[in-house]
mmCIF file of all heavy atoms in Angstrom:
data_model
loop_
_atom_site.group_PDB
_atom_site.id
_atom_site.type_symbol
_atom_site.label_atom_id
_atom_site.label_comp_id
_atom_site.label_asym_id
_atom_site.label_seq_id
_atom_site.Cartn_x
_atom_site.Cartn_y
_atom_site.Cartn_z
ATOM 1 N N GLY B 398 -56.033 36.634 5.120
ATOM 2 C CA GLY B 398 -56.577 35.343 5.550
ATOM 3 C C GLY B 398 -57.959 35.389 6.161
ATOM 4 O O GLY B 398 -58.526 34.355 6.488
ATOM 5 N N GLU B 399 -58.525 36.576 6.310
ATOM 6 C CA GLU B 399 -59.818 36.670 6.991
ATOM 7 C C GLU B 399 -60.921 36.814 5.962
ATOM 8 O O GLU B 399 -60.814 37.702 5.111
ATOM 9 C CB GLU B 399 -59.811 37.867 7.960
ATOM 10 C CG GLU B 399 -60.975 37.860 8.908
ATOM 11 C CD GLU B 399 -60.829 38.901 10.026
ATOM 12 O OE1 GLU B 399 -59.789 39.581 10.082
ATOM 13 O OE2 GLU B 399 -61.773 39.031 10.803
ATOM 14 N N PRO B 400 -61.961 35.997 5.990
ATOM 15 C CA PRO B 400 -62.235 34.945 6.972
ATOM 16 C C PRO B 400 -61.550 33.621 6.659
ATOM 17 O O PRO B 400 -61.218 33.351 5.519
ATOM 18 C CB PRO B 400 -63.756 34.786 6.846
ATOM 19 C CG PRO B 400 -64.063 35.108 5.425
ATOM 20 C CD PRO B 400 -63.075 36.190 5.043
ATOM 21 N N GLY B 401 -61.351 32.829 7.707
ATOM 22 C CA GLY B 401 -60.983 31.427 7.533
ATOM 23 C C GLY B 401 -59.544 31.082 7.783
ATOM 24 O O GLY B 401 -59.252 29.998 8.239
ATOM 25 N N GLU B 402 -58.635 31.995 7.458
ATOM 26 C CA GLU B 402 -57.225 31.672 7.662
ATOM 27 C C GLU B 402 -56.541 32.802 8.427
ATOM 28 O O GLU B 402 -55.534 33.366 8.001
ATOM 29 C CB GLU B 402 -56.534 31.429 6.308
ATOM 30 C CG GLU B 402 -57.015 30.136 5.667
ATOM 31 C CD GLU B 402 -56.473 29.899 4.266
ATOM 32 O OE1 GLU B 402 -55.725 30.763 3.745
ATOM 33 O OE2 GLU B 402 -56.811 28.857 3.691
ATOM 34 N N GLU B 403 -57.142 33.093 9.586
ATOM 35 C CA GLU B 403 -56.662 34.235 10.364
ATOM 36 C C GLU B 403 -55.239 34.047 10.862
ATOM 37 O O GLU B 403 -54.583 35.012 11.230
ATOM 38 C CB GLU B 403 -57.611 34.504 11.540
ATOM 39 C CG GLU B 403 -58.944 35.136 11.136
ATOM 40 C CD GLU B 403 -59.975 34.133 10.625
ATOM 41 O OE1 GLU B 403 -59.647 32.926 10.556
ATOM 42 O OE2 GLU B 403 -61.091 34.555 10.292
ATOM 43 N N TYR B 404 -54.768 32.793 10.894
ATOM 44 C CA TYR B 404 -53.376 32.579 11.311
ATOM 45 C C TYR B 404 -52.419 33.184 10.295
ATOM 46 O O TYR B 404 -51.275 33.495 10.618
ATOM 47 C CB TYR B 404 -53.086 31.084 11.499
ATOM 48 C CG TYR B 404 -53.142 30.282 10.218
ATOM 49 C CD1 TYR B 404 -51.988 30.060 9.452
ATOM 50 C CD2 TYR B 404 -54.341 29.771 9.753
ATOM 51 C CE1 TYR B 404 -52.047 29.348 8.273
ATOM 52 C CE2 TYR B 404 -54.406 29.059 8.567
ATOM 53 C CZ TYR B 404 -53.264 28.859 7.838
ATOM 54 O OH TYR B 404 -53.327 28.174 6.655
ATOM 55 N N ARG B 405 -52.883 33.336 9.052
ATOM 56 C CA ARG B 405 -52.013 33.968 8.047
ATOM 57 C C ARG B 405 -52.048 35.484 8.188
ATOM 58 O O ARG B 405 -51.020 36.148 8.209
ATOM 59 C CB ARG B 405 -52.471 33.587 6.637
ATOM 60 C CG ARG B 405 -52.120 32.174 6.239
ATOM 61 C CD ARG B 405 -52.774 31.810 4.928
ATOM 62 N NE ARG B 405 -52.304 32.635 3.828
ATOM 63 C CZ ARG B 405 -52.942 32.756 2.661
ATOM 64 N NH1 ARG B 405 -54.064 32.103 2.451
ATOM 65 N NH2 ARG B 405 -52.439 33.515 1.711
ATOM 66 N N GLU B 406 -53.254 36.018 8.235
ATOM 67 C CA GLU B 406 -53.402 37.470 8.307
ATOM 68 C C GLU B 406 -54.846 37.790 8.633
ATOM 69 O O GLU B 406 -55.757 37.125 8.138
ATOM 70 C CB GLU B 406 -53.050 38.089 6.937
ATOM 71 C CG GLU B 406 -52.811 39.584 6.955
ATOM 72 C CD GLU B 406 -51.371 39.936 7.312
ATOM 73 O OE1 GLU B 406 -51.023 39.841 8.520
ATOM 74 O OE2 GLU B 406 -50.603 40.309 6.412
ATOM 75 N N THR B 407 -55.032 38.795 9.467
ATOM 76 C CA THR B 407 -56.389 39.289 9.698
ATOM 77 C C THR B 407 -56.523 40.620 8.982
ATOM 78 O O THR B 407 -55.529 41.218 8.542
ATOM 79 C CB THR B 407 -56.653 39.504 11.197
ATOM 80 O OG1 THR B 407 -55.706 40.471 11.672
ATOM 81 C CG2 THR B 407 -56.510 38.203 11.975
ATOM 82 N N LEU B 408 -57.741 41.097 8.872
ATOM 83 C CA LEU B 408 -57.947 42.419 8.276
ATOM 84 C C LEU B 408 -57.184 43.456 9.099
ATOM 85 O O LEU B 408 -56.611 44.394 8.558
ATOM 86 C CB LEU B 408 -59.444 42.728 8.222
ATOM 87 C CG LEU B 408 -60.225 41.839 7.241
ATOM 88 C CD1 LEU B 408 -61.709 41.850 7.558
ATOM 89 C CD2 LEU B 408 -59.964 42.292 5.806
ATOM 90 N N ARG B 409 -57.181 43.243 10.419
ATOM 91 C CA ARG B 409 -56.484 44.169 11.310
ATOM 92 C C ARG B 409 -54.970 44.170 11.024
ATOM 93 O O ARG B 409 -54.370 45.212 10.816
ATOM 94 C CB ARG B 409 -56.747 43.749 12.767
ATOM 95 C CG ARG B 409 -55.955 44.505 13.801
ATOM 96 C CD ARG B 409 -56.563 45.856 14.054
ATOM 97 N NE ARG B 409 -55.679 46.726 14.818
ATOM 98 C CZ ARG B 409 -56.059 47.934 15.240
ATOM 99 N NH1 ARG B 409 -57.256 48.391 14.961
ATOM 100 N NH2 ARG B 409 -55.229 48.678 15.929
ATOM 101 N N SER B 410 -54.381 42.978 11.024
ATOM 102 C CA SER B 410 -52.919 42.932 10.858
ATOM 103 C C SER B 410 -52.524 43.383 9.449
ATOM 104 O O SER B 410 -51.522 44.079 9.260
ATOM 105 C CB SER B 410 -52.368 41.535 11.165
ATOM 106 O OG SER B 410 -52.870 40.563 10.272
ATOM 107 N N ALA B 411 -53.326 43.036 8.466
ATOM 108 C CA ALA B 411 -53.032 43.501 7.108
ATOM 109 C C ALA B 411 -53.102 45.020 7.040
ATOM 110 O O ALA B 411 -52.281 45.671 6.398
ATOM 111 C CB ALA B 411 -54.009 42.883 6.111
ATOM 112 N N SER B 412 -54.094 45.573 7.744
ATOM 113 C CA SER B 412 -54.254 47.026 7.678
ATOM 114 C C SER B 412 -53.112 47.739 8.385
ATOM 115 O O SER B 412 -52.685 48.822 7.969
ATOM 116 C CB SER B 412 -55.614 47.444 8.254
ATOM 117 O OG SER B 412 -55.619 47.338 9.661
ATOM 118 N N GLU B 413 -52.592 47.110 9.436
ATOM 119 C CA GLU B 413 -51.444 47.721 10.125
ATOM 120 C C GLU B 413 -50.202 47.686 9.232
ATOM 121 O O GLU B 413 -49.432 48.649 9.173
ATOM 122 C CB GLU B 413 -51.175 46.997 11.449
ATOM 123 C CG GLU B 413 -52.188 47.381 12.507
ATOM 124 C CD GLU B 413 -52.095 46.530 13.762
ATOM 125 O OE1 GLU B 413 -51.331 45.550 13.765
ATOM 126 O OE2 GLU B 413 -52.802 46.875 14.729
ATOM 127 N N ALA B 414 -50.032 46.567 8.529
ATOM 128 C CA ALA B 414 -48.914 46.478 7.585
ATOM 129 C C ALA B 414 -49.088 47.514 6.480
ATOM 130 O O ALA B 414 -48.139 48.196 6.076
ATOM 131 C CB ALA B 414 -48.838 45.067 6.993
ATOM 132 N N ALA B 415 -50.328 47.642 6.002
ATOM 133 C CA ALA B 415 -50.609 48.595 4.933
ATOM 134 C C ALA B 415 -50.299 50.014 5.396
ATOM 135 O O ALA B 415 -49.622 50.775 4.693
ATOM 136 C CB ALA B 415 -52.067 48.472 4.497
ATOM 137 N N ALA B 416 -50.781 50.357 6.582
ATOM 138 C CA ALA B 416 -50.570 51.711 7.097
ATOM 139 C C ALA B 416 -49.082 52.019 7.214
ATOM 140 O O ALA B 416 -48.617 53.099 6.837
ATOM 141 C CB ALA B 416 -51.259 51.871 8.448
ATOM 142 N N ALA B 417 -48.325 51.049 7.680
ATOM 143 C CA ALA B 417 -46.887 51.254 7.829
ATOM 144 C C ALA B 417 -46.207 51.406 6.474
ATOM 145 O O ALA B 417 -45.174 52.061 6.357
ATOM 146 C CB ALA B 417 -46.267 50.093 8.602
ATOM 147 N N GLY B 418 -46.802 50.814 5.457
ATOM 148 C CA GLY B 418 -46.219 50.906 4.124
ATOM 149 C C GLY B 418 -46.794 52.029 3.275
ATOM 150 O O GLY B 418 -46.426 52.167 2.111
ATOM 151 N N GLY B 419 -47.719 52.794 3.847
ATOM 152 C CA GLY B 419 -48.284 53.911 3.093
ATOM 153 C C GLY B 419 -49.455 53.536 2.204
ATOM 154 O O GLY B 419 -49.882 54.316 1.361
ATOM 155 N N VAL B 420 -49.978 52.328 2.400
ATOM 156 C CA VAL B 420 -51.124 51.883 1.604
ATOM 157 C C VAL B 420 -52.394 52.229 2.375
ATOM 158 O O VAL B 420 -52.621 51.712 3.460
ATOM 159 C CB VAL B 420 -51.058 50.364 1.338
ATOM 160 C CG1 VAL B 420 -52.255 49.902 0.512
ATOM 161 C CG2 VAL B 420 -49.750 49.998 0.633
ATOM 162 N N THR B 421 -53.210 53.113 1.798
ATOM 163 C CA THR B 421 -54.410 53.545 2.523
ATOM 164 C C THR B 421 -55.661 52.820 2.059
ATOM 165 O O THR B 421 -56.691 52.901 2.714
ATOM 166 C CB THR B 421 -54.601 55.075 2.381
ATOM 167 O OG1 THR B 421 -54.506 55.426 0.992
ATOM 168 C CG2 THR B 421 -53.527 55.818 3.147
ATOM 169 N N THR B 422 -55.571 52.139 0.913
ATOM 170 C CA THR B 422 -56.704 51.317 0.456
ATOM 171 C C THR B 422 -56.174 49.977 -0.041
ATOM 172 O O THR B 422 -55.289 49.931 -0.893
ATOM 173 C CB THR B 422 -57.479 52.005 -0.681
ATOM 174 O OG1 THR B 422 -57.983 53.259 -0.216
ATOM 175 C CG2 THR B 422 -58.657 51.130 -1.137
#
Side-chain angles (χ1 to χ4, degrees):
Chain B
E399 193 170 357
E402 290 175 358
E403 287 82 359
Y404 66 92
R405 285 172 63 197
E406 195 86 284
T407 60
L408 292 161
R409 173 79 193 185
S410 63
S412 74
E413 284 171 353
V420 180
T421 50
T422 300

